[in-house]
Amino acid sequence: MIIEALIAFTFVAALVAFVLPDRLAGRGAFALSLVPVVGSLYMWSQFDASGNALLQGGQTAFETTVPWLQLAGYEISWYVGVDGISLPLVVLTTVLTSLAIVSAWTPIQHRQSQFFGLMLFMEANLLGVFTALDFFLWFIFWEAVLVPMYFLIGVWGGPRRKYAAIKFFVYTNAASLIMFIGFMALVLGLGDSTSSFALPDVAQALRAGELGSFYGLDASTLQVVAFAAMFFGFAVKVPVVPVHTWLPDAHVEAPTPVSVMLAGVLLKMGTYALLRFNFTMLPEVAVEYAPFIAAIAVLSVIYGALLALAQQDLKRIVAYSSVSSMGYVILGLVAYTAYGVGGATFQMVAHGLISGLMFMAVGVIYNTTHTRMVGDMSGMADRMPVTTAILIAGAFGYMGLPLMAGFAAEFFIFTGAFQSTVIAGNGLALFTAAAMFGIVIVAGYLLFAMQRTLFGPFRLETDYEVGRAPLHDTLPLAVLLVCIIALGVAPEIFFSMITDAVDPVIGGVLQ
Amino acid sequence: MGQLPEWTALAPVLILAVTGLVLLLIDSIDADTTNSALLAGVSTLGAAAALAATAWSLATGVGQDNGAILLFADALVVDGMSLFFTAIFTSVVVMVTIASYDYLHGHRHQGEFYSLVLFAASGMALMASANSLATVLVSLELASLPSYVLVAYLKQNRGSVEAGLKYFLIGALSAAVFTFGVSLVYAATGSLIFADVAEALSGGEFVGIAGLGVLMVAGGFAFKTASVPFHFWAPEAYEGAPAPVSAFLSSASKAAGFAVAFRVFVEAFPLATIPEGINWVLAFQILAVVTMTLGNFAAATQENVKRMLAYSSIGHAGYALIGLAALSAGGSANGNVLGASMAHLFVYGFMNTGAFLFIAMVERWGIGRTFEDYNGLATQAPVACVAMSVFMFSLAGLPPFGGFFSKYFLFFEAIENGFWWLAAIGALNSVLSLFYYSRVVRAMWFEDPSGPVELGSQPVGLYAALMLAAVGTVLLLPGFPPVIETAQTVAGTLFA
């Protein structure tokens, strides 16, 4: 019942925050958001799942199934539970939401109660996305995340916020529709082999090869078409090149705490869904088209990094580097080895923390300087030493320095990719080698930007007093940094439960 | 139920009609009364009592467990379907009468307003119970005549009067078309009772005359449901009418049109036995596609929110028509498709009424009607704007609101019954609709008000009705199972 309690509590908390007076809303929302944090940590401490939630022999933790309704003979139910893949993401969601709420205290100065209400509303739906095991339930949460995001960007964003909000909404909503059709085609193609939309049922029936023909498409074509539809739908969310263009707009216009949630958690919805749907349900297709997927992954890594290199806006730099980092996740998934897929899942958490840290740090600087342009500032280290130190630490994490979460994640992914045999003749190793160049570019643009903004003589043309950030701006950064180092020093915190859930996924195809 | 006489099954209709009469009585005792609390209270109580009676009948299985109850020489029937639709009408009336308490503030002739609403509602409830083409005619007029007057209620307002006149003229024309269609069907079959018509038609005589009659009857329903090609009155009437009346017409009156259309075409012209020459499914497929597409495209180009809602209401008529368009002789999921359409109308009753009531609120505040006038409204009235956003997203079919399930069930059942292309066109239209619905949301939340906005009073009744509709729209997602199950069960019995 703990999952239901968490989701329900967060919904109620959202309502409470919405009606709180503006001056209390920030503090109130933070206090309320601590309950899900404690809840998710409790779940972690009591976690006893084994295997993968979707596959044969998998045992989820905190599972609940309540029949909900019938759709043309298919059972739809309230079906939630967590396994080793979803639990880390649940913890990430609750922790990052709390920190994002704190980081919103300074920049959000109007309509606070609405802002914090929407943040909590989004958290509740995100928790639903990562715990739902019935397709309809999952899809409801998946789509419902868009609604608060749309408002958060559109109301509190920068000058082009309306454009960015609409673009975000239209892109991701259209993608969801295509994905929805793809999945429905699979379920209908399964015919009588499944009588529900429960993801485990569908996954196991598909793995058992029970897919039939549907509207004139034979099973193998249907598989490919559905895979493509779902891949496209999730790729927009991730996002991968060339369907990434909504992301920089959304990020740049969104206020800092919303960027944190967007990069930290929302992008993970896409990779999480890719893993759950495409790579778990249709492994043969994934392997068959591995070269294409790997090429897209490499393209995202390199192109995203090059785009970041070309930016002048600190926030844009971090935004584009997300495209790059998520490319690694795709690469790890397509490797289809324990280290690859496990590393990809680990990277979801690691990138959530690191990108959250980066966005927050850039936000803290922006709060005092009111600019994000690399060319406008110099020598920030003199005035904001603590923030500078944390920002640099975060940048090191992004570059993948050892003992940071990013290093562990990338190391797992590359190890897995080099071991991979999905492309004949060790072909994936070539793709991986190419992708690793991304690290060089990342180091390049981050160091370059840091050097120009943080060091040297202080110069900033502004009327504002530039000084140390208030404690409540810096503390979330410190918490994130501690998490990043903890995961880097001891990846086992999550990695063993991740591999436990990942192993069955790859066991099916490539022994 | 055994001890009660059979006519008591008509309790919801009778309660509505009696309440209308009581209102007239109150009004005649004190003709100049402006005691709107009394009038609104009595009408709301009456509608709520009718709703309660309907719910009770549905729950206890009146007309369902032991078969439909036929009354007055088979002219009326009380079964699950008629009760289901009566539930839609009465819940809409409850919301509309609560909201009218504030909307009519300061207007004269309030007693007449409420009694006309209740008479129209009893006409609609009768429409859902009609089992003979003659009863259809009578109840259709009983529902329509008060509606004409209600549209023109703001008689100092040129728009309102003009809308009433247009509505009346087109209504009269389509009533004539419909009546002529009925007479042709009568000429071909020699009966007005649905079951007898169906039996006579299966003989295959006078196919030409009967076919023409069926087509003209379909035209009559197209008017009532605001479907193409008889939709021209709808934007004018909805825009000109007082907003609660627009809510009433576009939700309840439309559902009533569908109630009769469903029953007439499924029971009187059943696909299984009707001669091949009368292919009304094809007609409804064309109607559905054209109606939803035209409605949505027209809605996308409006600058006036009320007009946009009017056109979107035409679009939704197109979705509901899938209930008839996706039928096939002996189709395995016929009952499910029709039921999904009915369930969509149920959810629509809440979300669309709510949307028009929000407009009533805005009109009460005297803000204006274009998208621009809505700019920045959320800073002034966040709670009402949350409700409006819920309606907009629900109408667009986004989760987590009731409209999501009702639309997906409709499309999914259409696919199940073999009409994937209808579902595809519906889904595409649905995506398009998000564009114009989100314009309202954007104006309310994202834009800054163009000038200082003073909202003045907080209308309690309107707020209450709005909250009722919003809570209903949200709760219809988790609470959708009983609605869809009831709808599909009662629709299934029509095909049994």
Side-chain angles (χ1 to χ4, degrees):
Chain A
M1 284 307 286
I2 182 150
I3 295 176
E4 290 81 355
L6 276 188
I7 296 176
F9 176 86
T10 322
F11 272 126
V12 175
L15 278 181
V16 172
F18 192 82
V19 296
L20 277 179
D22 278 346
R23 65 196 160 77
L24 294 178
R27 269 71 176 168
F30 173 65
L32 290 167
S33 75
L34 287 178
V35 174
V37 174
V38 172
S40 66
L41 293 178
Y42 172 79
M43 276 168 71
W44 188 7
S45 71
Q46 301 292 311
F47 182 69
D48 62 350
S50 63
N52 188 295
L54 266 51
L55 297 175
Q56 208 86 49
Q59 180 61 51
T60 53
F62 316 108
E63 183 182 309
T64 324
T65 320
V66 182
W68 191 4
L69 40 71
Q70 289 273 344
L71 172 55
Y74 290 96
E75 185 76 44
I76 298 175
S77 38
W78 170 273
Y79 181 16
V80 292
V82 288
D83 66 357
I85 294 172
S86 38
L87 183 68
L89 293 168
V90 169
V91 177
L92 174 76
T93 305
T94 57
V95 170
L96 215 53
T97 309
S98 273
L99 297 177
I101 286 175
V102 177
S103 76
W105 288 359
T106 307
I108 303 300
Q109 290 301 339
H110 72 298
R111 294 162 81 175
Q112 282 101 329
S113 58
Q114 293 168 19
F115 180 89
F116 291 107
L118 285 169
M119 289 287 276
L120 288 167
F121 182 71
M122 184 159 69
E123 179 183 16
N125 288 308
L126 285 166
L127 290 174
V129 168
F130 293 129
T131 54
L133 292 174
D134 180 278
F135 178 73
F136 256 89
L137 184 64
W138 175 85
F139 188 74
I140 287 170
F141 284 126
W142 171 272
E143 287 287 277
V145 170
L146 298 184
V147 175
M149 203 43 158
Y150 174 67
F151 288 113
L152 286 168
I153 297 175
V155 177
W156 290 272
R160 290 169 68 240
R161 59 183 190 275
K162 290 163 210 160
Y163 168 78
I166 301 277
K167 190 172 176 183
F168 163 78
F169 201 82
V170 171
Y171 257 66
T172 49
N173 192 52
S176 299
L177 185 76
I178 292 170
M179 174 274 293
F180 185 88
I181 294 170
F183 184 81
M184 279 295 151
L186 278 184
V187 173
L188 293 173
L190 279 172
D192 293 336
S193 353
T194 175
S195 60
S196 75
F197 289 102
L199 298 179
D201 293 359
V202 176
Q204 284 166 32
L206 284 171
R207 283 226 163 186
E210 287 168 13
L211 193 64
S213 62
F214 179 62
Y215 276 118
L217 296 174
D218 61 37
S220 56
T221 323
L222 178 59
Q223 262 193 347
V224 175
V225 170
F227 187 93
M230 295 197 296
F231 190 88
F232 175 78
F234 300 137
V236 170
K237 200 82 158 195
V238 171
V240 296
V241 177
V243 285
H244 66 287
T245 59
W246 63 269
L247 179 97
D249 284 312
H251 265 313
V252 172
E253 299 308 321
T256 303
V258 176
S259 294
V260 170
M261 294 306 289
L262 189 59
V265 191
L266 257 74
L267 304 190
K268 276 70 200 177
M269 289 164 61
T271 46
Y272 171 79
L274 271 177
L275 171 54
R276 282 282 196 228
F277 288 81
N278 289 53
F279 289 90
T280 302
M281 293 181 183
L282 299 168
E284 286 92 354
V285 187
V287 170
E288 193 184 339
Y289 288 89
F292 295 98
I293 302 171
I296 291 174
V298 173
L299 184 68
S300 290
V301 169
I302 303 288
Y303 188 70
L306 286 176
L307 282 174
L309 190 61
Q311 301 305 316
Q312 285 299 313
D313 181 335
L314 272 179
K315 205 171 175 186
R316 254 178 200 273
I317 293 176
V318 183
Y320 276 113
S321 62
S322 288
V323 176
S324 190
S325 297
M326 298 314 279
Y328 288 128
V329 178
I330 310 277
L331 186 70
L333 289 177
V334 78
Y336 235 80
T337 54
Y339 274 111
V341 182
T345 312
F346 194 82
Q347 167 80 336
M348 294 183 209
V349 181
H351 178 258
L353 297 170
I354 298 174
S355 66
L357 174 71
M358 295 294 280
F359 275 117
M360 274 189 209
V362 171
V364 170
I365 291 178
Y366 180 75
N367 288 345
T368 48
T369 62
H370 294 257
T371 180
R372 291 189 304 252
M373 289 302 154
V374 173
D376 288 356
M377 41 185 155
S378 157
M380 297 305 299
D382 289 346
R383 300 295 179 94
M384 311 180 78
V386 179
T387 311
T388 299
I390 296 179
L391 181 62
I392 290 176
F396 284 158
Y398 233 127
M399 294 172 220
L401 252 64
L403 296 188
M404 305 268 250
F407 170 76
E410 283 168 17
F411 180 74
F412 291 143
I413 290 174
F414 295 142
T415 311
F418 279 122
Q419 291 170 347
S420 169
T421 54
V422 287
I423 305 178
N426 218 3
L428 194 64
L430 289 175
F431 284 106
T432 312
M436 286 172 84
F437 267 102
I439 299 182
V440 180
I441 311 176
V442 171
Y445 65 73
L446 283 177
L447 289 174
F448 190 55
M450 298 295 117
Q451 199 242 331
R452 290 193 5 187
T453 54
L454 303 176
F455 303 115
F458 177 75
R459 173 182 65 78
L460 181 69
E461 279 167 26
T462 171
D463 304 331
Y464 298 98
E465 185 68 30
V466 176
R468 284 174 189 254
L471 185 64
H472 64 76
D473 274 357
T474 324
L475 262 185
L477 295 175
V479 174
L480 278 178
L481 190 59
V482 168
C483 295
I484 291 167
I485 293 173
L487 277 188
V489 175
E492 279 303 299
I493 293 175
F494 282 138
F495 198 64
S496 57
M497 72 166 73
I498 290 175
T499 43
D500 185 36
V502 159
D503 279 338
V505 176
I506 46 195
V509 203
L510 305 159
Q511 287 91 349
Chain B
M1 193 63 211
Q3 62 275 40
L4 289 174
E6 274 200 327
W7 60 266
T8 51
L10 280 175
V13 186
L14 296 173
I15 295 174
L16 288 172
V18 168
T19 312
L21 292 172
V22 167
L23 283 164
L24 282 186
L25 186 68
I26 295 173
D27 200 49
S28 60
I29 290 172
D30 182 2
D32 292 328
T33 185
T34 43
N35 188 350
S36 39
L38 175 70
L39 294 168
V42 169
S43 4
T44 308
L45 274 181
L51 176 60
T54 314
W56 182 82
S57 303
L58 267 175
T60 51
V62 173
Q64 302 149 70
D65 292 349
N66 301 316
I69 300 173
L70 291 167
L71 296 158
F72 306 113
D74 294 356
L76 286 176
V77 60
V78 176
D79 62 359
M81 183 176 163
S82 73
L83 290 169
F84 185 86
F85 273 103
T86 309
I88 302 180
F89 312 142
T90 45
S91 46
V92 170
V93 172
V94 168
M95 289 182 272
V96 167
T97 49
I98 295 178
S100 301
Y101 165 67
D102 288 308
Y103 190 86
L104 295 183
H105 184 83
H107 284 285
R108 296 182 63 217
H109 308 300
Q110 295 193 9
E112 289 83 344
F113 179 90
Y114 288 109
S115 53
L116 285 171
V117 168
L118 281 154
F119 286 137
S122 39
M124 292 168 192
L126 266 187
M127 281 166 82
S129 287
N131 194 38
S132 141
L133 288 168
T135 337
V136 171
L137 262 173
V138 174
S139 55
L140 196 78
E141 288 309 310
L142 178 54
S144 296
L145 288 173
S147 306
Y148 304 144
V149 184
L150 283 170
V151 169
Y153 176 75
L154 305 172
K155 63 179 183 182
Q156 310 298 335
N157 178 319
R158 259 191 77 183
S160 180
V161 176
E162 194 182 316
L165 185 64
K166 265 187 190 157
Y167 188 23
F168 173 67
L169 288 178
I170 301 181
L173 173 75
S174 62
V177 171
F178 181 74
T179 315
F180 196 57
V182 168
S183 63
L184 287 178
V185 170
Y186 182 75
T189 61
S191 177
L192 289 171
I193 305 286
F194 296 164
D196 301 343
V197 171
E199 202 185 316
L201 274 179
S202 66
E205 282 181 292
F206 311 114
V207 173
I209 292 180
L212 195 59
V214 169
L215 201 65
M216 295 179 89
V217 167
F221 292 135
F223 160 74
K224 203 68 200 158
T225 57
S227 308
V228 177
F230 291 95
H231 66 286
F232 293 105
W233 61 275
E236 312 294 334
Y238 295 165
E239 191 195 354
V245 173
S246 313
F248 182 55
L249 290 185
S250 64
S251 309
S253 175
K254 178 169 297 197
F258 278 111
V260 199
F262 289 169
R263 195 189 292 281
V264 168
F265 280 92
V266 171
E267 292 215 313
F269 315 134
L271 280 173
T273 56
I274 201 165
E276 270 185 26
I278 311 176
N279 190 353
W280 53 262
V281 170
L282 181 69
F284 278 110
Q285 283 165 354
I286 297 169
L287 272 188
V289 170
V290 176
T291 304
M292 65 174 102
T293 312
L294 194 140
N296 277 304
F297 272 96
T301 58
Q302 299 304 315
E303 282 307 315
N304 177 318
V305 181
K306 208 173 173 187
R307 251 184 119 73
M308 178 280 281
L309 273 182
Y311 276 110
S312 99
S313 165
I314 296 176
H316 275 272
Y319 302 140
L321 278 174
I322 289 179
L324 283 177
L327 298 181
S328 59
S332 58
N334 276 350
N336 285 347
V337 177
L338 196 65
S341 186
M342 286 162 56
H344 181 65
L345 286 168
F346 189 91
V347 178
Y348 184 72
F350 280 88
M351 56 193 182
N352 186 61
T353 307
F356 272 108
L357 291 184
F358 180 83
I359 290 187
M361 183 112 107
V362 173
E363 286 181 359
R364 175 90 168 75
W365 283 328
I367 289 175
R369 291 176 165 187
T370 62
F371 285 99
E372 273 178 23
D373 296 324
Y374 281 48
N375 284 355
L377 210 54
T379 52
Q380 306 285 321
V383 177
C385 286
V386 167
M388 184 62 169
S389 310
V390 166
F391 302 138
M392 291 293 105
F393 284 134
S394 183
L395 282 167
L398 280 192
F401 308 114
F404 166 70
F405 260 157
S406 67
K407 259 192 196 174
Y408 274 113
F409 265 71
L410 187 57
F411 297 155
F412 192 88
E413 300 288 9
I415 294 175
E416 277 283 295
N417 215 21
F419 291 88
W420 63 268
W421 55 271
L422 265 176
I425 295 173
L428 280 179
N429 269 296
S430 220
V431 173
L432 172 69
S433 72
L434 186 60
F435 164 73
Y436 56 81
Y437 288 128
S438 67
R439 273 186 79 187
V440 182
V441 176
R442 190 175 53 168
M444 291 189 305
W445 292 90
F446 296 0
E447 308 286 346
D448 296 319
S450 32
V453 184
E454 202 47 61
L455 294 187
S457 65
Q458 300 284 324
V460 183
L462 271 167
Y463 259 109
L466 211 54
M467 287 304 117
L468 202 61
V471 170
T473 306
V474 173
L475 286 188
L476 275 173
L477 185 84
F480 197 60
V483 175
I484 186 76
E485 277 158 23
T486 312
Q488 293 191 330
T489 314
V490 301
T493 57
L494 291 187
F495 294 95

